[in-house]
Amino acid sequence: MDEVMEEFRDSAQRDTFFLRQNLTALETILDEPQPPGTLLQLAEWDANWSMDHDPTNDGAAVFLRRLAEMLRSAIEEEESGRWRTSSAIGTASTEEGDDSA
């Protein structure tokens, strides 16, 4: 899962748009009733994750919720980092302006 999180972080550094779309899709699927086996198929086939330890929809739901949490975390980390960076740049510009006055 550490490698997956690193991939999410790398993607977030480029753009969070698609990560947000994936997060919305995951949350929607998890929040709405699904036919039996749907979540298991999503986890094993689409996410290519072995669910041998709990090959049930409930087990897959746990895995998919974890992915959603990781996506949310990567998005929030990147956006808070952008905010801090733009905030620091704004502060530096203001301070430079104060020195010249």
Side-chain angles (χ1 to χ4, degrees):
M1 292 300 266
D2 291 340
E3 290 177 20
V4 173
M5 187 61 188
E6 283 306 310
E7 286 292 321
F8 289 164
R9 284 180 176 136
D10 288 345
S11 294
Q13 288 176 352
R14 289 186 294 282
D15 190 5
T16 60
F17 179 78
F18 294 110
L19 292 180
R20 285 186 172 284
Q21 283 186 322
N22 290 331
L23 178 58
T24 299
L26 266 177
E27 290 175 334
T28 300
I29 288 169
L30 290 167
D31 288 343
E32 297 176 1
Q34 301 298 323
T38 301
L39 298 180
L40 182 60
Q41 181 177 346
L42 184 62
E44 289 191 322
W45 293 10
D46 295 321
N48 197 28
W49 198 265
S50 172
M51 297 300 300
D52 289 341
H53 67 285
D54 187 359
T56 65
N57 256 6
D58 289 341
V62 169
F63 167 73
L64 294 171
R65 285 188 203 295
R66 175 99 192 270
L67 281 184
E69 290 170 12
M70 291 168 63
L71 278 169
R72 189 176 302 104
S73 178
I75 292 166
E76 289 172 356
E77 285 175 16
E78 181 59 29
E79 290 179 351
S80 72
R82 287 182 192 165
W83 181 83
R84 280 194 301 271
T85 301
S86 66
S87 215
I89 291 170
T91 302
S93 296
T94 303
E95 290 171 0
E96 289 172 10
D98 289 344
D99 289 342
S100 63

